[in-house]
Amino acid sequence: MSRGAPADDPLDPATIAADLGTALLPRTISCHAAVGSTMDVARDLLRTLDDAQLPLLITADVQTAGRGRMGRRWEAPAGSALLLSLALRPTWLPPERGVALVWMAAVALCEAVEDVTPLRAALKWPNDLLLPTPDGWAKAAGILLEVSIGHRAFEWAIIGCGVNVSDAPPPGATPYPTTSLAAATGGSVSRLVLLRALLRRLDYWYTQLGLGQQGELFAAWSGRLITLGQQVRVEAPDGQIMGYAEGVEPSGALRIRDAAGAVYVITAGDVGLGV
Ligand code: ATP
């Protein structure tokens, strides 16, 4: 597909929801051709919805101000990517365990990719989805979590996903290699089919989380981290750390041991990571 060409699998609420068979997800779906950011559309629409209308799913063919973590830009030609935000109100989840929503999205996305392609998906800590290419692992999707916390409970949590389905940024446009599902499989992949697979896997993990099965989710997430067992370089606020990524803490923080034996525990909020 040429860059910026319209998608051949338009997304619409009825087709997304048809016989989806999920217990919890989603109750309201809104599909857009172009938006600034699906995160902002979700946040605005949330104000008008009551609990019975959640979760809320927003999709867009193109974003004019797509964002990743820490205000970084997310770029994708029109119709080439699965761009979505899913708004939830998990009042039962203690806010200090909110990172589990990131694990849930990352694991569900890997599983969905594996359901609809022959590919094996992996994660770069904490939440970049990587796919194998002849030149090594390359980033095919990013995940973002934005939350509002009230009286010791979530008012809302919005999970954002951008998945390169038929196109990816050209070499040099990002600090690391990127790929798309089409490039990695050598064939075409439907955004609709991928989205429906993702919603099913999200439904499974959201139900598990609600049942208190956070340990199973942690194991699924940490088991996919290709960062572990590698030498890594972290841009931390007070300088660069280079060392061996030896594990993750129960909180999800990355544990790095440098050549002198010093151990650093890195949280996701404040670093860029080079593998
Ligand atoms: P990292 O730089 O380690 O991937 P991150 O997790 O903070 O960090 P994201 O929040 O997923 O990154 O997304 C923002 C970054 O992703 C941007 O800085 C840009 O380099 C890169 N990026 C933007 N668009 C795409 C895309 N379509 N595919 C892959 N990477 C992209």
Side-chain angles (χ1 to χ4, degrees):
M1 184 179 124
S2 63
R3 293 180 69 76
D8 56 7
D9 60 343
L11 299 177
D12 70 86
T15 322
I16 292 168
D19 300 321
L20 195 56
T22 58
L24 297 171
L25 291 169
R27 299 220 177 101
T28 306
I29 302 178
S30 181
C31 300
H32 301 256
V35 298
S37 155
T38 58
M39 302 300 282
D40 296 336
V41 175
R43 205 165 45 201
D44 287 347
L45 199 51
L46 256 180
R47 294 201 187 97
T48 69
L49 300 179
D50 58 38
D51 284 359
Q53 294 168 295
L54 299 179
L56 162 69
L57 172 69
I58 306 291
T59 72
D61 293 333
V62 68
Q63 299 182 114
T64 53
R67 62 176 180 267
R69 297 189 313 142
M70 293 170 266
R72 295 173 186 147
R73 293 272 305 172
W74 187 264
E75 307 279 0
S80 70
L82 180 59
L83 304 170
L84 68 88
S85 290
L86 183 71
L88 307 159
R89 191 165 286 144
T91 47
W92 42 267
L93 183 66
E96 62 274 17
R97 296 207 199 134
V99 68
L101 297 171
V102 174
W103 304 342
M104 173 182 87
V107 170
L109 194 51
C110 287
E111 292 174 343
V113 166
E114 291 174 356
D115 282 348
V116 304
T117 73
L119 299 169
R120 177 179 146 233
L123 296 170
K124 187 178 103 178
W125 181 90
N127 58 359
D128 283 351
L129 185 143
L130 306 189
L131 294 176
T133 75
D135 301 322
W137 293 97
K139 179 170 173 176
I143 291 163
L144 174 67
L145 177 69
E146 294 181 354
V147 301
S148 172
I149 295 167
H151 296 288
R152 295 201 210 115
F154 280 110
E155 287 172 338
W156 49 257
I158 305 177
I159 296 166
C161 285
V163 188
N164 301 329
V165 176
S166 59
D167 207 350
T174 55
Y176 39 71
T178 61
T179 191
S180 66
L181 298 189
T185 56
S188 72
V189 176
S190 156
R191 293 184 309 162
L192 176 65
V193 171
L194 177 66
L195 172 57
R196 285 167 55 83
L198 174 60
L199 291 173
R200 291 195 176 104
R201 296 315 301 157
L202 282 170
D203 191 58
Y204 171 79
W205 285 112
Y206 196 55
T207 305
Q208 293 301 106
L209 257 189
L211 295 171
Q213 302 293 338
Q214 189 156 340
E216 190 193 338
L217 177 57
F218 177 81
W221 171 74
S222 55
R224 287 183 181 271
L225 292 172
I226 57 159
T227 311
L228 302 185
Q230 293 200 44
Q231 292 294 326
V232 298
R233 191 184 62 248
V234 172
E235 305 296 335
D238 45 359
Q240 198 178 75
I241 300 166
M242 289 180 74
Y244 177 75
E246 63 176 20
V248 276
E249 302 286 306
S251 66
L254 182 65
R255 200 169 59 250
I256 296 175
R257 188 179 295 272
D258 74 9
V263 173
Y264 300 85
V265 174
I266 310 292
T267 57
D270 52 8
V271 294
L273 181 75
V275 176

